[in-house]
Amino acid sequence: MAKQKLLTLEQKFVEYQDVKTDIARREFEIKYAWQPTVEQVGGRSSTISKPQEKLYEAYEADRRWNYLQQLKADCERAIARYDAEQVEMYKLRFGKYGYHDWDEIGEILHHSHSTIYRKRYAMLMVLAEESGMI
């Protein structure tokens, strides 16, 4: 896989760290979007009577909300497939409190430079499979 695609996959994991907050923010923006006041013309049958259905349609029509939901699902499926060592590597690289580069992770886990990058490649390939990139 090309270097640029690997960086894109790493960026997905970085973005995943705040995905729950981003989803909540986007849902708030959709739910409380500013709309000019327009007088209703016509009967009630021409509009959706249940506000939950209207809100659900707004979520489904929003590209950013759909992207964030897909990102969350892809990353969660990928992490669920990792073994214990890969989960530890993931936490060291992308976790909230321990941001390390790959060489530092190799030192912490006692792996050589080439070994840690092979393991990184394997981790990112799982995400690529889950997100449909390969």
Side-chain angles (χ1 to χ4, degrees):
M1 186 173 285
K3 194 180 232 184
Q4 189 62 35
K5 286 191 178 188
L6 292 174
L7 292 174
T8 301
L9 290 167
E10 274 199 47
Q11 188 59 38
K12 283 187 174 204
F13 271 138
V14 170
E15 194 173 356
Y16 172 69
Q17 301 312 304
D18 295 323
V19 77
K20 290 179 183 177
T21 305
D22 292 341
I23 289 171
R25 181 179 301 122
R26 191 67 195 139
E27 287 175 352
F28 180 84
E29 290 169 354
I30 293 169
K31 189 173 183 178
Y32 300 106
W34 179 85
Q35 297 176 2
T37 322
V38 178
E39 242 182 84
Q40 285 286 357
V41 179
R44 285 180 51 108
S45 63
S46 65
T47 62
I48 297 173
S49 62
K50 296 184 179 177
Q52 297 88 357
E53 290 178 10
K54 187 182 276 189
L55 186 59
Y56 180 74
E57 286 180 359
Y59 288 155
E60 289 297 314
D62 189 73
R63 291 176 57 180
R64 177 71 178 158
W65 185 82
N66 285 318
Y67 167 76
L68 292 170
Q69 291 291 345
Q70 188 65 44
L71 174 69
K72 180 181 174 194
D74 292 345
C75 290
E76 286 174 353
R77 283 193 312 269
I79 293 167
R81 287 180 52 189
Y82 289 166
D83 61 22
E85 184 179 41
Q86 288 174 321
V87 170
E88 182 65 24
M89 289 170 55
Y90 168 81
K91 287 179 181 177
L92 288 170
R93 176 67 173 151
F94 303 106
K96 240 185 215 185
Y97 303 111
Y99 186 82
H100 302 284
D101 66 13
W102 290 108
D103 289 324
E104 289 174 349
I105 294 170
E107 289 175 15
I108 292 168
L109 299 177
H110 308 292
H111 292 301
S112 69
H113 175 83
S114 57
T115 302
I116 203 69
Y117 276 91
R118 277 195 307 272
K119 290 178 180 283
R120 167 192 176 248
Y121 183 81
M123 287 175 60
L124 295 177
M125 289 302 290
V126 171
L127 179 59
E129 289 172 7
E130 292 299 332
S131 60
M133 290 180 73
I134 57 169

